[in-house]
Amino acid sequence: MISPHIHVPYEKIEDYINFIKKNRLDLEIYFNSTALDCINADSIVKLKNIFDYNPSLSFHAPFMDLSPGAIDSKVRNATIERFNHILDIAEALKPKAVVFHSGYEKWKYALKVEVWLEKSIQTWRPLNERAKNIGVKIAIENIFEDEPSNLRLLMEQINSDNFGVCFDTGHCNLFSNVSLVSWLKEIKKYIIELHLHDNDKTADLHHPIGDGSFDFNTLFSELKNNNCIYTIEAHTPERVLKSIEKLKEYSQVFQLIPE
């Protein structure tokens, strides 16, 4: 049976700690830049000791203003500094994976994906080597991509079992102009994590699984033999519990395999 990771911001863990402990939730912890500015060794020990069980963890890295494919070296260096800080915490807490945003927006790069790709490779190769050495996978999430070719190109260039895709259902539903089948044809073999939430294609609503228009039947049918992390990104306790129940239903139908 799948035990999904539940997305929660670092600064909200204490607010929801009773709910987390009661349901013995596995977690994807999101560290924004403000959290990183405040975290020290004592904070990490406190985080490790706050649970009375041993949850499986994944992390979500900061993304606001950051650009792993930046042309400007100072912007890219600041991004790498932030990402290394996340890996410092990962080294202490040993999550299964860390999710990072791709930073690709086709209009920002004037449709020149090769410009983004060249700088992205320079960013990710050393970061992936460090992550691999500490036993943590890197998963690159689709955000504004309207089709998957830039992610496929990045996966092909890095060419590492430790480096893969975090496929986000809500973002795909909102921004894609190609079919889900087309996405999976290009990136299925690289998926190491899923971000599961739904919307009606009007906004990134983070509804529970099945409360929007995303085609979860096709997704889970295609991925039933994939071993990956299932992460729920529904932003209230009620939506989390509803998503967990829906995921259980899909798991029974498609015999899904968790990481």
PDB file of all heavy atoms in Angstrom, residues 88-101:
ATOM      1  N   ASP A  88      23.018  20.563   2.269  1.00  0.00           N
ATOM      2  CA  ASP A  88      23.579  20.496   3.619  1.00  0.00           C
ATOM      3  C   ASP A  88      22.560  19.874   4.581  1.00  0.00           C
ATOM      4  O   ASP A  88      22.902  19.012   5.402  1.00  0.00           O
ATOM      5  CB  ASP A  88      23.939  21.893   4.134  1.00  0.00           C
ATOM      6  CG  ASP A  88      25.114  22.528   3.408  1.00  0.00           C
ATOM      7  OD1 ASP A  88      25.860  21.793   2.736  1.00  0.00           O
ATOM      8  OD2 ASP A  88      25.256  23.765   3.504  1.00  0.00           O
ATOM      9  N   ILE A  89      21.313  20.330   4.482  1.00  0.00           N
ATOM     10  CA  ILE A  89      20.260  19.804   5.354  1.00  0.00           C
ATOM     11  C   ILE A  89      19.948  18.353   4.985  1.00  0.00           C
ATOM     12  O   ILE A  89      19.731  17.503   5.857  1.00  0.00           O
ATOM     13  CB  ILE A  89      19.000  20.684   5.256  1.00  0.00           C
ATOM     14  CG1 ILE A  89      19.331  22.122   5.661  1.00  0.00           C
ATOM     15  CG2 ILE A  89      17.881  20.133   6.147  1.00  0.00           C
ATOM     16  CD1 ILE A  89      18.224  23.116   5.380  1.00  0.00           C
ATOM     17  N   ALA A  90      19.962  18.069   3.689  1.00  0.00           N
ATOM     18  CA  ALA A  90      19.724  16.699   3.238  1.00  0.00           C
ATOM     19  C   ALA A  90      20.789  15.748   3.768  1.00  0.00           C
ATOM     20  O   ALA A  90      20.505  14.594   4.094  1.00  0.00           O
ATOM     21  CB  ALA A  90      19.675  16.650   1.712  1.00  0.00           C
ATOM     22  N   GLU A  91      22.007  16.236   3.852  1.00  0.00           N
ATOM     23  CA  GLU A  91      23.097  15.396   4.366  1.00  0.00           C
ATOM     24  C   GLU A  91      22.824  14.981   5.809  1.00  0.00           C
ATOM     25  O   GLU A  91      23.184  13.884   6.230  1.00  0.00           O
ATOM     26  CB  GLU A  91      24.415  16.156   4.259  1.00  0.00           C
ATOM     27  CG  GLU A  91      25.636  15.281   4.410  1.00  0.00           C
ATOM     28  CD  GLU A  91      26.892  15.929   3.858  1.00  0.00           C
ATOM     29  OE1 GLU A  91      26.822  17.092   3.407  1.00  0.00           O
ATOM     30  OE2 GLU A  91      27.941  15.259   3.880  1.00  0.00           O
ATOM     31  N   ALA A  92      22.168  15.848   6.575  1.00  0.00           N
ATOM     32  CA  ALA A  92      21.862  15.555   7.976  1.00  0.00           C
ATOM     33  C   ALA A  92      20.612  14.701   8.138  1.00  0.00           C
ATOM     34  O   ALA A  92      20.564  13.810   8.992  1.00  0.00           O
ATOM     35  CB  ALA A  92      21.690  16.858   8.750  1.00  0.00           C
ATOM     36  N   LEU A  93      19.598  14.943   7.308  1.00  0.00           N
ATOM     37  CA  LEU A  93      18.296  14.297   7.511  1.00  0.00           C
ATOM     38  C   LEU A  93      17.997  13.162   6.534  1.00  0.00           C
ATOM     39  O   LEU A  93      17.019  12.450   6.706  1.00  0.00           O
ATOM     40  CB  LEU A  93      17.177  15.342   7.437  1.00  0.00           C
ATOM     41  CG  LEU A  93      17.224  16.417   8.529  1.00  0.00           C
ATOM     42  CD1 LEU A  93      16.056  17.383   8.366  1.00  0.00           C
ATOM     43  CD2 LEU A  93      17.201  15.793   9.915  1.00  0.00           C
ATOM     44  N   LYS A  94      18.794  13.022   5.490  1.00  0.00           N
ATOM     45  CA  LYS A  94      18.707  11.906   4.549  1.00  0.00           C
ATOM     46  C   LYS A  94      17.306  11.701   3.945  1.00  0.00           C
ATOM     47  O   LYS A  94      16.704  10.647   4.076  1.00  0.00           O
ATOM     48  CB  LYS A  94      19.160  10.611   5.227  1.00  0.00           C
ATOM     49  CG  LYS A  94      20.634  10.609   5.631  1.00  0.00           C
ATOM     50  CD  LYS A  94      21.541  10.679   4.410  1.00  0.00           C
ATOM     51  CE  LYS A  94      23.007  10.441   4.757  1.00  0.00           C
ATOM     52  NZ  LYS A  94      23.645  11.566   5.450  1.00  0.00           N
ATOM     53  N   PRO A  95      16.754  12.714   3.274  1.00  0.00           N
ATOM     54  CA  PRO A  95      15.510  12.488   2.523  1.00  0.00           C
ATOM     55  C   PRO A  95      15.779  11.576   1.335  1.00  0.00           C
ATOM     56  O   PRO A  95      16.919  11.409   0.909  1.00  0.00           O
ATOM     57  CB  PRO A  95      15.132  13.898   2.058  1.00  0.00           C
ATOM     58  CG  PRO A  95      16.453  14.584   1.908  1.00  0.00           C
ATOM     59  CD  PRO A  95      17.309  14.051   3.031  1.00  0.00           C
ATOM     60  N   LYS A  96      14.706  11.001   0.791  1.00  0.00           N
ATOM     61  CA  LYS A  96      14.862  10.158  -0.392  1.00  0.00           C
ATOM     62  C   LYS A  96      15.221  10.986  -1.621  1.00  0.00           C
ATOM     63  O   LYS A  96      15.976  10.527  -2.483  1.00  0.00           O
ATOM     64  CB  LYS A  96      13.573   9.379  -0.657  1.00  0.00           C
ATOM     65  CG  LYS A  96      13.300   8.277   0.347  1.00  0.00           C
ATOM     66  CD  LYS A  96      12.083   7.476  -0.059  1.00  0.00           C
ATOM     67  CE  LYS A  96      11.893   6.272   0.851  1.00  0.00           C
ATOM     68  NZ  LYS A  96      10.706   5.455   0.435  1.00  0.00           N
ATOM     69  N   ALA A  97      14.656  12.181  -1.714  1.00  0.00           N
ATOM     70  CA  ALA A  97      14.871  13.018  -2.892  1.00  0.00           C
ATOM     71  C   ALA A  97      14.692  14.475  -2.522  1.00  0.00           C
ATOM     72  O   ALA A  97      14.044  14.808  -1.522  1.00  0.00           O
ATOM     73  CB  ALA A  97      13.897  12.641  -4.003  1.00  0.00           C
ATOM     74  N   VAL A  98      15.276  15.349  -3.340  1.00  0.00           N
ATOM     75  CA  VAL A  98      15.035  16.786  -3.239  1.00  0.00           C
ATOM     76  C   VAL A  98      14.474  17.257  -4.581  1.00  0.00           C
ATOM     77  O   VAL A  98      15.050  16.975  -5.639  1.00  0.00           O
ATOM     78  CB  VAL A  98      16.316  17.570  -2.914  1.00  0.00           C
ATOM     79  CG1 VAL A  98      15.996  19.056  -2.774  1.00  0.00           C
ATOM     80  CG2 VAL A  98      16.971  17.055  -1.631  1.00  0.00           C
ATOM     81  N   VAL A  99      13.357  17.964  -4.524  1.00  0.00           N
ATOM     82  CA  VAL A  99      12.700  18.493  -5.723  1.00  0.00           C
ATOM     83  C   VAL A  99      13.166  19.928  -5.962  1.00  0.00           C
ATOM     84  O   VAL A  99      13.158  20.756  -5.047  1.00  0.00           O
ATOM     85  CB  VAL A  99      11.167  18.463  -5.568  1.00  0.00           C
ATOM     86  CG1 VAL A  99      10.489  19.149  -6.761  1.00  0.00           C
ATOM     87  CG2 VAL A  99      10.677  17.026  -5.421  1.00  0.00           C
ATOM     88  N   PHE A 100      13.563  20.202  -7.208  1.00  0.00           N
ATOM     89  CA  PHE A 100      13.966  21.541  -7.634  1.00  0.00           C
ATOM     90  C   PHE A 100      13.143  21.934  -8.853  1.00  0.00           C
ATOM     91  O   PHE A 100      12.800  21.086  -9.678  1.00  0.00           O
ATOM     92  CB  PHE A 100      15.445  21.563  -8.042  1.00  0.00           C
ATOM     93  CG  PHE A 100      16.419  21.200  -6.955  1.00  0.00           C
ATOM     94  CD1 PHE A 100      16.761  19.879  -6.729  1.00  0.00           C
ATOM     95  CD2 PHE A 100      17.013  22.188  -6.188  1.00  0.00           C
ATOM     96  CE1 PHE A 100      17.682  19.530  -5.750  1.00  0.00           C
ATOM     97  CE2 PHE A 100      17.938  21.857  -5.200  1.00  0.00           C
ATOM     98  CZ  PHE A 100      18.272  20.527  -4.981  1.00  0.00           C
ATOM     99  N   HIS A 101      12.868  23.219  -9.008  1.00  0.00           N
ATOM    100  CA  HIS A 101      12.198  23.706 -10.219  1.00  0.00           C
ATOM    101  C   HIS A 101      13.196  23.797 -11.368  1.00  0.00           C
ATOM    102  O   HIS A 101      14.377  24.082 -11.165  1.00  0.00           O
ATOM    103  CB  HIS A 101      11.561  25.059  -9.983  1.00  0.00           C
ATOM    104  CG  HIS A 101      10.316  24.989  -9.154  1.00  0.00           C
ATOM    105  ND1 HIS A 101       9.489  26.080  -8.966  1.00  0.00           N
ATOM    106  CD2 HIS A 101       9.741  23.965  -8.470  1.00  0.00           C
ATOM    107  CE1 HIS A 101       8.457  25.731  -8.205  1.00  0.00           C
ATOM    108  NE2 HIS A 101       8.596  24.452  -7.885  1.00  0.00           N
TER     109      HIS A 101
END
